Amino acid sequence: MESSIAKRDKIGVQDFVLLEDYRSENAFVENLKKRYHENLIYTYIGSVLVSVNPYKTIQGLYGADTMSEYRGVNLYELPPHIYAIADSAYRSMREEALDQCVLISGESGAGKTEASKKMLHYLASCSGHMGDVDRVKERLLQSNPVLEAFGNAKTIRNDNSSRFGKYMDIEFDFKGSPVGGHIKNYLLEKSRVVTQAQGERNFHIFYQLLAGAGNSLLSDLQLQSYPERYRLLCQGDCTMVKTIDDRADFMLVQQALSVLGFHDKECQSLWTIVSSIIHLGNLSYVSGDTEGTSRVSDSDNIPALAKLLQCAGDILERSLTHRTIEARGEKLLTPLSVEQALYARDALAKSTYERMFLWLVHRLNSSLQNESKVRKNVMGLLDIYGFEIFVVNSFEQFCINYCNEKLQQVFIELTLKSEQEEYYQENIEWEPVEYFNNKIICDLVEEKHKGIIAILDEECLRPGEVSDDTFLERLCKGVGKHAHFLSHQTTDYEGRKTLARNEFRLSHYAGDVTYSINGFVDKNNDLLYRDLKEAMSSSCNIILKKIFTAEELQSKKRPPTAATQFKTSLAELMVILMSKQPSYIRCIKPNDDKRPGVLQESIIFHQVKYLGLMENLRVRRAGFCYRRPFAVFLNRYKSLCPKTWPTWRGSEKDGIRVLCVHLGYTSDQYKIGRTKIFIRFPKTLFETEDRFQDRKHELVTQITAIFRMYRQRKVYRKMQWSVTTIAKHWRRVAAQRYAERYRAAAAVVRKFIIGFKNRNKPKCPENVNFLEFVRINFLKTLARQLPRNVLDHSWPTPPPALTEASNMLRLLHQRSMVRAYVRKMTPEKKLQLSLKVTASERFRNCKEAYPPSVAAPFVGTRLSDSEQDAMKRNLAVKFPESGPVKYATNCVKYDRHGYKSRSRIIAITNKGCLVLETGSYKLKEQHLFEHISEVVVSSLTDGIVVIRLPTDDKNSRGDLIIAVEHVIEFIIKLLCEHSNKLDCLKIDASGKVIHNTPGNKSGTILFHKGDNALISPTKTGELQVVRLTSDQHFTAVHALTRLHHQLAMLLT
């Protein structure tokens, strides 16, 4: 790669336009030679790229880094390169929405195929990266190995020569990403299938299959990996090529077929057809039993071939040795001679391969097809065979060179003739450049009714005996006097020395070419016997069924000749090329031996001359590099001038003048024609384009701001409309809901009033809702006003209909509160309550002293702590058998005689009761429970207790009479210590209690109420007990007694 301007000056100029002696061919070739020897294979002629084949790999010339370096750079800012042409065409297509085409031309071996690959790789790398885009790019790239394998072959001049013409359209979306493609092929050299010149090979795929297929696949195809064993592969004595790795290439082909979406069955069918063609070439014939007949010499080959072609063996063998002729409505089966059979064999091989190749191209197109209706831009790549001059040139070279003549004509039309004519039409001052116009040669070949192709077709269709010699004879009569045509019959004596009787010579733009007429008629007819077509159409092979159709057999129309088909397809190609903006790559072959570093000047001079490079240089040197219609130029660059932006109101020509003045163009930099502006120097255009690219950023900012404002305003208006719509509908819904609630409320109120009027009636439809409301309302009120404790007796007044339920709820609530109260009680308190319950059962409503005792809790002793301790110590020492003291209290003991009172302590143990002396705690009396027969108290509030004891014992002192302050507590403690004594209690309400004294005597205790409380003996010998009356106190205590009774009942 060139690294500096100084280095480029030493080794020649990178643009031939900069040559000082631009009219000299020697200077032109010398500049090309200098650069070639420095590995600088690319040179510009303006925007045309000249490429010299180096026949070697140049380090650093290609790759991702080089692609990145040329991406988005103007054409002349970096050294000449094919990437620069590709980038310029790509950016022009993307930014100006103009369809492009790149025409790659040159001789065979000049590097056209490699140039098209580099173009395709660059276009794939510079576009976007997304899922579908990457898939399309990968398929576009992978189509090359497949087409090269089936359409390229080694020739004397090129190890990878394209033996077919290829034009590929790559479709891009508006973002510049490839979205699809389409391939057109032109004139596959199918004669190579059956014959190759010395030093040449058949198509690559045959050798790749033998070298790369596995043993199992070769076994299925009944092949061996030795191409020398097959006649169609070894005619040129060149089955192996040092620069080609057939095994690796076959792996690439298989991988490419997979990427392109070929199914396994399709791949297998392809290999089957290729192998069948190889086997078909090994068929040989011998004369039959009768004269003019033939048969297959080795009949064992037919079953193997029929198996591969998947058709009946007998039908295949008959079609290879016989032909059906239809005469006057009758069909006759006639045998073929050995020569005819060999022709039929070769015709079948050629036709099968050609049709398979056409199917392959069609299948590739379906894989690359983009069905989107969105507008797409197209870039075309034309890689077609170059001009060929061999020792023996036949029908194929005639068609190939005719194609190159047409391409040269396009080049002349677009670069030389049309450019100069455009200057005249636009009134631009111009010095005419002389050039050779090859239209006369094109007309010689293709002119209707007079051209070579027309004469060849007439000869092929003429009834009677037709041969190559008759064709040459008619050709000499038709075009023999043409200045560019020579034959043995039409030339002079000296010319006849260089021309055989079966040859003619054409003076092409690239030089004189001598053609041998042998095979012209047969190759142009391109006949395949109907019997062979029928045999192939009966095949079960999925590809053969498609390429040999039943519709073809039914058609009676004669197919067009090969030359006519090629002429028609070339005409279509010319229309396509003329409709696109072209870019040119002119490939030059440095030598005939494919040696790197060797440049033969004679060969270079010849190619420079016939490629018209000198004429192109003179036109570029004198002309303008850029021209555009006023509307296009003004529309693209009007944003660079405030007067023309955003809209120019005047004429387009005036707008161009204003714009050029604002841009600072000088008079020698541009010219204004009638309808177009012409810019002379690329530098001027690039500076303008750079300013436009900078301006685009400003415009994008302005457009973005305006668009954002527009979008937000649109969003705001939509939101405003949405809010208004939602509010309108919400108000409607809210009003509807309010009306529904209003109607429902009126109905409820109406029902309530009717129910209130009928509230005292039994439940009926008129009052059912009201009663339900009353119930609910009462329950809600009750839930808020429930009593909070057991002493709270408040309760809401229920409606009449809920009286029973209210009572049940009240009872349940009381029980619930009591249960809660009881759960919180300690065992001591429960025992206390149990004793209280017992007291209530025995004394309630029986003794007036009971109500005052309800509020006072029962205790374990009424003595002080010191008294209690002293009593326990005395009893423990003197009376240990008495047991533990359960209860003790102070009392007053009255004697049985005289009723003298004595202060005593009475203690209750688990065996009985003890009467102790106060202070000394001396035991005065001890009475066991079993001796106590009855305990008698009065019904008044006094504390007199009479404990009846046995009197039949001589030591008995009679009943024990005591006065206790807490009489209820004492009696409960006394009787509850021994459960059998609970029934011994007697409450006397008569006011007189008789007690027993020793000696079977008795005494009387009188009880009554009075104003002064006293206990004293009377004069008559009774004990008088008087107690006071207090009604109010009795009432309060009585209520408490009832409450405790209820608690006791629940507890039990």
Side-chain angles (χ1 to χ4, degrees):
M1 290 293 296
E2 295 156 297
S3 59
S4 66
I5 296 177
K7 182 178 179 181
R8 291 199 299 271
D9 289 340
K10 293 178 183 179
I11 57 178
V13 296
Q14 64 183 12
D15 192 340
F16 285 108
V17 177
L18 303 178
L19 278 176
E20 293 183 6
D21 190 5
Y22 67 92
R23 298 178 183 272
S24 171
E25 289 187 8
N26 293 328
F28 188 99
V29 174
E30 183 64 25
N31 186 73
L32 204 64
K33 184 177 179 180
K34 288 180 181 179
R35 296 178 62 79
Y36 179 76
H37 287 310
E38 294 294 332
N39 289 332
L40 301 175
I41 64 173
Y42 295 121
T43 311
Y44 288 139
I45 304 177
S47 59
V48 176
L49 181 69
V50 179
S51 172
V52 183
N53 192 344
Y55 290 121
K56 65 179 181 179
T57 301
I58 301 177
Q59 295 295 329
L61 186 59
Y62 307 106
D65 294 338
T66 309
M67 291 181 186
S68 177
E69 185 180 356
Y70 278 87
R71 188 170 299 134
V73 178
N74 288 325
L75 185 63
Y76 301 110
E77 291 186 17
L78 290 175
H81 202 287
I82 192 170
Y83 290 162
I85 297 295
D87 185 74
S88 176
Y90 173 75
R91 287 191 291 118
S92 179
M93 177 204 66
R94 188 184 62 185
E95 296 177 7
E96 301 182 24
L98 295 176
D99 290 346
Q100 304 285 319
C101 68
V102 180
L103 304 182
I104 306 172
S105 59
E107 282 192 16
S108 177
K112 300 184 298 300
T113 300
E114 289 300 316
S116 69
K117 287 186 193 177
K118 302 305 179 186
M119 287 285 298
L120 192 58
H121 278 88
Y122 183 84
L123 294 174
S125 69
C126 68
S127 53
H129 294 278
M130 292 180 293
D132 290 340
V133 172
D134 287 339
R135 179 183 61 82
V136 172
K137 286 195 289 188
E138 186 67 19
R139 291 191 172 186
L140 287 170
L141 294 174
Q142 293 300 331
S143 65
N144 257 335
V146 176
L147 290 174
E148 286 186 10
F150 286 87
N152 289 23
K154 180 198 178 301
T155 63
I156 298 175
R157 298 180 178 181
N158 188 357
D159 290 347
N160 188 31
S161 176
S162 297
R163 307 319 298 162
F164 73 106
K166 179 182 71 173
Y167 176 77
M168 174 185 285
D169 268 335
I170 307 173
E171 299 174 344
F172 294 83
D173 61 11
F174 71 96
K175 295 179 290 186
S177 300
V179 294
H182 185 79
I183 300 171
K184 289 180 178 290
N185 68 293
Y186 302 95
L187 189 64
L188 176 71
E189 188 189 17
K190 61 183 178 180
S191 63
R192 183 170 292 272
V193 175
V194 296
T195 179
Q196 305 96 42
Q198 190 68 24
E200 296 189 356
R201 296 204 313 176
N202 209 323
F203 292 101
H204 291 325
I205 190 61
F206 293 107
Y207 306 94
Q208 292 174 1
L209 179 62
L210 296 183
N215 293 329
S216 60
L217 179 57
L218 289 177
S219 177
D220 293 339
L221 301 177
Q222 302 185 31
L223 293 174
Q224 298 178 1
S225 57
Y226 304 105
E228 297 83 4
R229 298 185 178 181
Y230 302 102
R231 187 185 65 85
L232 296 185
L233 308 185
C234 61
Q235 295 181 34
D237 295 329
C238 183
T239 58
M240 304 295 291
V241 183
K242 293 181 180 180
T243 59
I244 298 176
D245 186 348
D246 291 319
R247 180 186 297 274
D249 290 343
F250 185 71
M251 299 302 155
L252 289 177
V253 171
Q254 286 186 313
Q255 181 182 357
L257 291 175
S258 176
V259 172
L260 290 164
F262 280 70
H263 307 304
D264 292 339
K265 289 184 177 180
E266 291 176 326
C267 295
Q268 185 64 31
S269 297
L270 275 176
W271 309 141
T272 302
I273 295 174
V274 172
S275 64
S276 66
I277 294 173
I278 296 175
H279 285 291
L280 191 61
N282 278 4
L283 285 182
S284 59
Y285 295 88
V286 295
S287 299
D289 297 334
T290 59
E291 185 179 357
T293 63
S294 62
R295 60 181 177 84
V296 178
S297 61
D298 187 0
S299 59
D300 294 338
N301 290 335
I302 295 297
L305 187 60
K307 180 179 179 183
L308 291 172
L309 294 174
Q310 299 181 13
C311 62
D314 55 344
I315 296 177
L316 178 61
E317 185 174 8
R318 185 173 65 249
S319 64
L320 288 169
T321 56
H322 291 77
R323 177 186 179 188
T324 301
I325 298 176
E326 186 173 353
R328 298 180 181 180
E330 294 183 2
K331 291 183 179 180
L332 302 176
L333 185 64
T334 61
L336 299 176
S337 65
V338 174
E339 292 77 10
Q340 291 174 332
L342 291 174
Y343 172 82
R345 178 200 66 185
D346 292 345
L348 178 61
K350 291 188 294 182
S351 179
T352 302
Y353 192 86
E354 180 189 34
R355 295 178 185 225
M356 177 192 69
F357 187 79
L358 293 174
W359 175 88
L360 185 65
V361 173
H362 177 75
R363 182 64 178 79
L364 290 175
N365 287 333
S366 65
S367 177
L368 299 173
Q369 184 178 6
N370 180 270
E371 298 180 355
S372 173
K373 299 282 178 79
V374 180
R375 182 183 66 84
K376 297 182 284 288
N377 292 116
V378 174
M379 178 174 291
L381 293 178
L382 179 62
D383 174 19
I384 206 161
Y385 17 60
F387 197 89
E388 293 184 348
I389 305 176
F390 296 146
V391 176
V392 178
N393 302 287
S394 185
F395 178 78
E396 290 79 13
Q397 282 68 45
F398 171 77
C399 293
I400 289 173
N401 294 338
Y402 163 56
C403 174
N404 280 271
E405 288 285 356
K406 293 293 291 184
L407 291 177
Q408 179 68 9
Q409 186 181 18
V410 171
F411 180 74
I412 291 171
E413 288 285 339
L414 296 178
T415 61
L416 301 178
K417 179 181 177 181
S418 62
E419 185 165 351
Q420 296 189 76
E421 289 178 353
E422 187 177 31
Y423 293 149
Y424 291 132
Q425 293 172 1
E426 295 289 332
N427 285 338
I428 302 298
E429 293 182 4
W430 175 255
E431 180 181 351
V433 176
E434 297 296 331
Y435 62 90
F436 172 72
N437 191 342
N438 71 331
K439 183 177 185 300
I440 187 172
I441 302 176
C442 294
D443 291 342
L444 170 63
V445 175
E446 67 181 7
E447 188 177 6
K448 288 185 178 181
H449 309 300
K450 296 180 181 181
I452 296 176
I453 293 178
I455 295 173
L456 179 60
D457 286 349
E458 288 178 5
E459 186 64 17
C460 291
L461 299 176
R462 181 175 62 84
E465 186 176 351
V466 177
S467 66
D468 295 326
D469 294 332
T470 59
F471 161 65
L472 181 58
E473 183 179 349
R474 290 178 61 86
L475 192 61
C476 292
K477 291 180 180 180
V479 296
K481 296 181 180 181
H482 197 283
H484 293 82
F485 176 86
L486 285 177
S487 69
H488 189 275
Q489 292 89 335
T490 61
T491 187
D492 56 13
Y493 176 76
E494 293 297 329
R496 288 173 184 171
K497 292 181 181 180
T498 60
L499 282 173
R501 293 184 180 275
N502 63 341
E503 293 178 343
F504 67 92
R505 182 177 297 159
L506 295 181
S507 298
H508 290 283
Y509 78 96
D512 294 343
V513 181
T514 302
Y515 297 99
S516 172
I517 63 170
N518 292 335
F520 259 67
V521 173
D522 287 340
K523 292 177 181 179
N524 188 50
N525 275 325
D526 194 21
L527 293 179
L528 180 65
Y529 296 148
R530 183 180 182 86
D531 301 77
L532 293 172
K533 292 181 181 179
E534 290 177 349
M536 293 299 101
S537 65
S538 65
S539 171
C540 296
N541 186 294
I542 60 175
I543 297 178
L544 288 176
K545 287 167 61 176
K546 293 179 180 179
I547 61 180
F548 290 95
T549 61
E551 290 78 6
E552 181 183 1
L553 296 175
Q554 295 172 1
S555 175
K556 301 295 183 179
K557 184 178 179 181
R558 180 184 177 93
T561 62
T564 300
Q565 292 183 36
F566 186 61
K567 174 184 172 182
T568 303
S569 61
L570 271 184
E572 294 174 354
L573 176 63
M574 297 304 112
V575 173
I576 293 174
L577 297 180
M578 297 294 287
S579 66
K580 294 177 171 57
Q581 181 172 317
S583 299
Y584 299 97
I585 301 175
R586 312 293 264 175
C587 297
I588 293 178
K589 179 177 63 174
N591 59 77
D592 287 333
D593 302 323
K594 298 178 283 189
R595 290 186 295 167
V598 177
L599 188 143
Q600 298 176 357
E601 293 186 5
S602 60
I603 296 177
I604 299 298
F605 273 111
H606 176 71
Q607 294 177 80
V608 169
K609 182 179 180 180
Y610 81 71
L611 288 175
L613 298 183
M614 292 303 300
E615 292 85 352
N616 187 24
L617 172 58
R618 288 195 293 272
V619 170
R620 289 291 177 181
R621 183 69 178 257
F624 297 84
C625 71
Y626 177 86
R627 75 287 315 274
R628 285 292 184 273
F630 292 149
V632 175
F633 186 84
L634 183 63
N635 186 58
R636 181 169 181 81
Y637 297 112
K638 65 180 179 180
S639 61
L640 300 179
C641 177
K643 294 181 180 179
T644 58
W645 178 257
T647 303
W648 173 254
R649 301 295 183 184
S651 66
E652 294 175 345
K653 193 170 187 177
D654 293 338
I656 292 292
R657 289 196 176 96
V658 171
L659 179 59
C660 291
V661 170
H662 179 79
L663 293 175
Y665 288 176
T666 60
S667 59
D668 62 331
Q669 290 179 329
Y670 78 103
K671 296 293 181 181
I672 295 179
R674 292 179 177 177
T675 60
K676 295 182 180 179
I677 178 174
F678 295 81
I679 296 177
R680 186 179 301 275
F681 305 115
K683 182 179 178 182
T684 305
L685 176 64
F686 294 154
E687 290 176 352
T688 304
E689 185 65 21
D690 290 341
R691 293 175 65 176
F692 175 66
Q693 295 300 327
D694 295 337
R695 176 61 174 162
K696 280 203 302 190
H697 295 291
E698 300 175 6
L699 295 177
V700 166
T701 303
Q702 297 175 10
I703 293 171
T704 302
I706 295 173
F707 175 74
R708 287 177 178 173
M709 178 190 69
Y710 164 76
R711 185 178 61 182
Q712 290 303 118
R713 184 172 182 82
K714 188 175 181 180
V715 171
Y716 168 74
R717 287 181 174 176
K718 187 174 182 180
M719 291 173 59
Q720 190 178 38
W721 176 84
S722 301
V723 168
T724 303
T725 304
I726 293 172
K728 175 180 66 177
H729 288 287
W730 171 247
R731 286 193 294 269
R732 174 180 58 80
V733 171
Q736 290 175 346
R737 292 179 180 177
Y738 175 77
E740 291 176 0
R741 291 198 303 271
Y742 188 85
R743 285 192 293 269
V748 170
V749 171
R750 189 178 298 107
K751 287 182 180 181
F752 189 87
I753 294 173
I754 296 173
F756 179 78
K757 292 179 179 179
N758 298 277
R759 64 186 181 280
N760 295 324
K761 294 181 180 180
K763 189 174 182 180
C764 60
E766 288 77 13
N767 64 3
V768 61
N769 292 328
F770 178 79
L771 295 179
E772 187 69 23
F773 168 77
V774 169
R775 291 189 184 93
I776 294 173
N777 188 55
F778 170 71
L779 293 176
K780 290 181 178 180
T781 303
L782 181 62
R784 294 191 299 268
Q785 300 180 6
L786 282 174
R788 302 301 178 189
N789 55 66
V790 294
L791 299 178
D792 186 2
H793 293 280
S794 62
W795 191 264
T797 303
L802 293 177
T803 301
E804 182 179 358
S806 175
N807 293 336
M808 295 175 65
L809 290 173
R810 185 172 188 178
L811 178 60
L812 290 173
H813 183 64
Q814 286 179 348
R815 290 181 178 179
S816 177
M817 289 193 298
V818 170
R819 286 193 186 94
Y821 178 75
V822 168
R823 289 193 188 99
K824 296 178 182 179
M825 291 171 57
T826 61
E828 293 79 9
K829 196 167 185 180
K830 287 185 179 180
L831 178 61
Q832 180 76 226
L833 186 57
S834 178
L835 295 176
K836 286 289 186 178
V837 169
T838 303
S840 175
E841 292 174 349
R842 299 296 178 181
F843 294 102
R844 187 167 63 87
N845 299 329
C846 295
K847 185 168 178 63
E848 294 180 2
Y850 171 71
S853 70
V854 172
F858 294 161
V859 297
T861 180
R862 292 292 178 175
L863 302 181
S864 63
D865 294 339
S866 58
E867 292 176 334
Q868 184 78 3
D869 294 340
M871 178 188 69
K872 289 182 178 180
R873 284 195 300 272
N874 184 63
L875 292 176
V877 173
K878 296 182 179 181
F879 306 102
E881 70 279 1
S882 61
V885 177
K886 300 295 184 179
Y887 179 78
T889 185
N890 294 308
C891 66
V892 178
K893 175 182 175 298
Y894 293 95
D895 293 339
R896 283 80 165 175
H897 300 288
Y899 302 109
K900 182 178 179 179
S901 62
R902 303 179 187 275
S903 178
R904 293 286 186 268
I905 294 174
I906 186 166
I908 301 173
T909 67
N910 55 359
K911 295 183 179 181
C913 61
L914 307 176
V915 180
L916 306 176
E917 187 178 46
T918 303
S920 63
Y921 307 105
K922 182 188 292 184
L923 181 61
K924 293 296 185 179
E925 298 181 21
Q926 180 179 8
H927 305 290
L928 299 175
F929 284 122
E930 56 264 23
H931 295 160
I932 298 174
S933 60
E934 191 176 38
V935 178
V936 183
V937 294
S938 69
S939 61
L940 302 179
T941 60
D942 60 87
I944 298 299
V945 179
V946 179
I947 299 175
R948 296 194 185 279
L949 300 170
T951 56
D952 53 355
D953 189 2
K954 62 180 180 178
N955 294 325
S956 176
R957 297 180 181 180
D959 296 339
L960 178 62
I961 302 172
I962 58 175
V964 184
E965 180 179 2
H966 303 281
V967 62
I968 303 299
E969 180 182 81
F970 169 74
I971 294 174
I972 291 301
K973 293 284 187 180
L974 175 65
L975 298 180
C976 286
E977 259 322 302
H978 202 286
S979 58
N980 296 330
K981 295 299 181 180
L982 289 174
D983 296 334
C984 296
L985 175 62
K986 180 181 179 182
I987 301 175
D988 194 311
S990 61
K992 181 173 69 173
V993 175
I994 304 299
H995 63 88
N996 299 319
T997 58
N1000 293 324
K1001 296 182 180 179
S1002 63
T1004 303
I1005 302 175
L1006 300 175
F1007 298 91
H1008 59 83
K1009 299 178 180 180
D1011 296 332
N1012 297 316
L1014 59 88
I1015 300 176
S1016 63
T1018 61
K1019 294 180 180 181
T1020 57
E1022 295 94 354
L1023 181 62
Q1024 177 180 322
V1025 181
V1026 180
R1027 283 300 180 199
L1028 298 175
T1029 302
S1030 180
D1031 296 336
Q1032 293 179 353
H1033 180 68
F1034 175 77
T1035 303
V1037 174
H1038 184 65
L1040 288 173
T1041 303
R1042 290 181 60 193
L1043 177 60
H1044 277 278
H1045 177 70
Q1046 293 177 0
L1047 290 174
M1049 291 296 290
L1050 290 173
L1051 181 65
T1052 56

